[in-house]
Amino acid sequence: MKVVYMCFGRAHSSVVASAIHLGYLDPQQTPTVPELTKLPLFDVSEASDLGVPKFVGCDTEGCEIYIVGLDGCRVQAQSAIESLAAILAVPSREFLIVETLGAIGWLAKFGGFLSRQLHFVKIGRPIVAHGIIRSYDLLCELVESVKKELSVIAAKDQETGNPDHRR
Amino acid sequence: MPGLWGGIVVNVVYYCWDGIFDSPMAAMIHLGYLSEERPPKIGELLALPNYGRVDRAAGRLYLAGVDGYKNAVFTLGCLNKAEMIQRVILEATRQLFKSEAQFLFFDCQSIPAWRCFLAKKLAMADPSGLRLNCRESIKSFAKIAAVVKNAKENLGY
């Protein structure tokens, strides 16, 4: 099973969501600004990274976690990935695409714009970190819902005897 | 990872703004449903199974058919994000699905985007709205046929 967290620039919300999923951030405790900025992929992506799924690790259940930035064409790109999976004979239950941008507020988006688009990193990075902290609960809820969905898929696969649910 | 159709060599993708007019016409020329030599008639265009399909979503790859060399031919609508959509398809193939599948993209955009948008909206209200672009498609036949010819040269036909 593969989970793809997607956002605008693969720099903030998808990075934090994947870090929560993989256990690098504690969902019970809101992180500090330094904790967020120390995440290896936080606020570092470039334009050339857009559209490229990045593998960030496997969770405790063996699911592969990816992050991807899809700029302003998230709907079309999601359609492209889904149709591509059908072409490559990858069953739809073997991957899950999760939009993370909806879980963050305007402050994180504004900080991200300053840092990534205008390259005002010193100003933008702390702003986006504060924005993420304000939206942290929503991001945790999102990741929790993803984990629940994964467990439902796994239970269904066990019922139907599909051995590949963690492929 | 095997594809849906065993033995597919290359996936040929014709793309345009909305994937409704230019790319289906190119795919049909490629597959031999339309002549490479003469422009189609309006009736021929409207009889094609994938021309003017307003229900088609941008970003999604639609199979038009498999040619005589076992290459799958797809149509794709990219709006104004062709470069990004292509990158997503190529990178997701390699990084996400770990596949060696080959994709070749050919830009066959000929009708202006505003005209495609307008024809689509009109056709959603009444199918005769498609006729707004039929004549444009016929006018752009030479350009689209040249794209198909180039594609076939790239494929070594």
Side-chain angles (χ1 to χ4, degrees):
Chain A
M1 183 77 190
K2 299 165 200 284
V3 178
V4 185
Y5 288 105
M6 70 165 181
C7 66
F8 189 89
R10 208 209 73 183
H12 308 110
S13 60
S14 60
V15 172
V16 173
S18 65
I20 296 167
H21 191 122
L22 292 169
Y24 298 129
L25 291 174
D26 183 358
Q28 308 300 328
Q29 192 180 343
T30 305
T32 59
V33 171
E35 280 174 329
L36 283 176
T37 52
K38 272 182 195 163
L39 291 172
L41 294 171
F42 187 82
D43 197 43
V44 293
S45 68
E46 300 293 338
S48 58
D49 297 321
L50 291 175
V52 183
K54 179 151 183 78
F55 175 69
V56 288
C58 287
D59 70 6
T60 51
E61 304 295 317
C63 295
E64 295 176 17
I65 310 298
Y66 292 80
I67 54 174
V68 66
L70 295 173
D71 202 357
C73 61
R74 290 181 299 285
V75 176
Q76 293 82 17
Q78 189 170 348
S79 291
I81 293 172
E82 286 167 358
S83 61
L84 182 64
I87 291 163
L88 300 175
V90 179
S92 59
R93 66 171 186 283
E94 286 193 8
F95 68 97
L96 187 62
I97 301 172
V98 185
E99 156 90 88
T100 58
L101 205 61
I104 60 168
W106 68 270
L107 189 64
K109 289 173 187 170
F110 177 63
F113 175 74
L114 285 178
S115 176
R116 296 294 91 207
Q117 299 285 321
L118 303 181
H119 301 291
F120 296 150
V121 179
K122 280 188 179 173
I123 305 168
R125 190 169 289 176
I127 293 175
V128 73
H130 280 289
I132 291 287
I133 288 167
R134 277 170 58 158
S135 309
Y136 191 69
D137 288 344
L138 277 176
L139 282 166
C140 290
E141 277 176 29
L142 178 71
V143 173
E144 190 56 36
S145 69
V146 169
K147 286 186 171 179
K148 273 184 189 162
E149 195 169 338
L150 290 175
S151 61
V152 169
I153 294 169
K156 273 187 187 170
D157 281 347
Q158 276 180 347
E159 276 175 24
T160 55
N162 173 22
D164 296 336
H165 69 282
R166 293 299 184 215
R167 187 167 63 184
Chain B
M1 190 178 291
L4 269 183
W5 310 282
I8 290 296
V9 183
V10 176
N11 297 294
V12 182
V13 182
Y14 290 104
Y15 68 91
C16 59
W17 189 77
D18 55 4
I20 293 175
F21 301 105
D22 293 329
S23 57
M25 189 168 151
M28 291 294 104
I29 294 171
H30 183 116
L31 293 167
Y33 291 103
L34 291 177
S35 166
E36 289 180 12
E37 309 298 329
R38 64 161 182 84
K41 296 186 169 66
I42 288 181
E44 286 177 307
L45 279 178
L46 292 175
L48 294 174
N50 54 1
Y51 182 88
R53 288 278 302 272
V54 293
D55 57 336
R56 297 208 155 174
R60 186 167 284 275
L61 289 159
Y62 289 97
L63 179 71
V66 178
D67 70 13
Y69 294 84
K70 283 205 161 189
N71 295 315
V73 179
F74 294 89
T75 63
L76 173 69
C78 291
L79 302 183
N80 57 348
K81 297 279 183 184
E83 195 185 334
M84 183 60 153
I85 302 283
Q86 282 179 55
R87 191 190 295 176
V88 167
I89 290 170
L90 293 173
E91 295 292 342
T93 302
R94 302 281 176 272
Q95 317 270 357
L96 193 59
F97 299 127
K98 313 280 191 265
S99 169
E100 298 296 320
Q102 297 288 316
F103 285 88
L104 280 179
F105 294 89
F106 296 97
D107 180 4
C108 51
Q109 178 70 41
S110 177
I111 302 174
W114 68 266
R115 205 172 170 121
C116 293
F117 177 81
L118 190 62
K120 185 177 177 180
K121 292 294 173 195
L122 286 172
M124 285 166 88
D126 189 300
S128 62
L130 289 178
R131 286 179 174 266
L132 181 72
N133 272 4
C134 285
R135 287 186 197 285
E136 284 297 310
S137 291
I138 293 166
K139 273 188 204 169
S140 55
F141 169 79
K143 186 184 171 186
I144 292 175
V147 172
V148 175
K149 190 179 174 195
N150 175 43
K152 289 188 172 180
E153 281 173 7
N154 272 278
L155 290 161
Y157 290 4

